[in-house]
Amino acid sequence: ALPRPGRVLQLLLTNLRNRPLSSTSVDSMRESILSLYHNLITGSKEFPLIPFKGSFRSRQTATPFVHVEQEQRENTTASYLTDAPAGVMVPTAGLSASPPTILTSVLPEKTELGALKGDRRNYVRHVELNGSTVTRVISTVYRSESAELTNRWRVSDYSADGHVLMSVLC
């Protein structure tokens, strides 16, 4: 069930990493919009690769990190908006009221790609990004240990050696 031509889909991203998102990473999300939409409409645990045809615009509205010089950004302390135990993310982008707590699995800076493929909560695919192949992992997120949230996903990109390149809450 694809959206009809002319329909506008909006995807809000919340950066889960302690570094700014590159415009390339944000633009690469264009390739996952229809996969996420398919999951939302059908409830299927599959995220088929559906070619995107249309206009894609991105806009950064805010960052939860304290501003520092570029060289120091990776070790910047997150603001109070992201202070929480590992695996817990609050609040989500675009919500003005107090959102529910969202549980995600722990996201290490480096991981074995085979372990990502072995976790049943993950859907793993390869994506071309600036001439390189990255591993994109789409994961479900939860309200509690057993209650999955619909219309919410974590999308993470990993380099060939397992380093996190991007991780966003959608």
Side-chain angles (χ1 to χ4, degrees):
L2 293 175
R4 288 181 287 229
R7 182 157 182 195
V8 175
L9 297 179
Q10 182 178 20
L11 179 66
L12 300 174
L13 306 178
T14 300
N15 187 2
L16 295 177
R17 303 306 296 168
N18 190 10
R19 69 177 69 91
L21 289 173
S22 70
S23 59
T24 302
S25 290
V26 173
D27 291 347
S28 77
M29 290 301 297
R30 169 184 57 222
E31 303 308 321
S32 293
I33 289 175
L34 293 176
S35 295
L36 298 173
Y37 183 77
H38 175 270
N39 172 266
L40 175 66
I41 298 302
T42 66
S44 165
K45 294 299 178 191
E46 297 295 315
F47 294 87
L49 184 57
I50 303 170
F52 180 87
K53 295 176 185 168
S55 174
F56 178 79
R57 289 184 292 179
S58 64
R59 180 178 62 154
Q60 181 178 349
T61 57
T63 179
F65 301 103
V66 179
H67 178 73
V68 294
E69 295 303 318
Q70 180 67 33
E71 298 80 34
Q72 300 294 323
R73 281 200 178 157
E74 186 56 33
N75 295 316
T76 301
T77 303
S79 73
Y80 73 93
L81 291 175
T82 56
D83 287 344
V88 179
M89 180 62 200
V90 231
T92 55
L95 297 177
S96 57
S98 249
T101 297
I102 295 174
L103 302 175
T104 68
S105 54
V106 175
L107 183 68
E109 186 61 32
K110 185 174 186 213
T111 190
E112 291 293 325
L113 297 178
L116 294 171
K117 293 175 183 175
D119 187 335
R120 65 175 178 73
R121 298 170 295 183
N122 296 334
Y123 184 83
V124 180
R125 80 156 50 107
H126 298 289
V127 176
E128 286 295 318
L129 190 63
N130 278 348
S132 298
T133 301
V134 300
T135 300
R136 174 155 292 170
V137 179
I138 302 173
S139 308
T140 52
V141 296
Y142 298 85
R143 175 172 304 150
S144 68
E145 291 296 324
S146 60
E148 187 177 310
L149 280 170
T150 56
N151 199 20
R152 297 274 193 283
W153 309 270
R154 183 175 75 192
V155 177
S156 304
D157 288 347
Y158 294 86
S159 63
D161 64 354
H163 280 92
V164 175
L165 301 172
M166 168 193 82
S167 188
V168 294
L169 186 67
C170 304

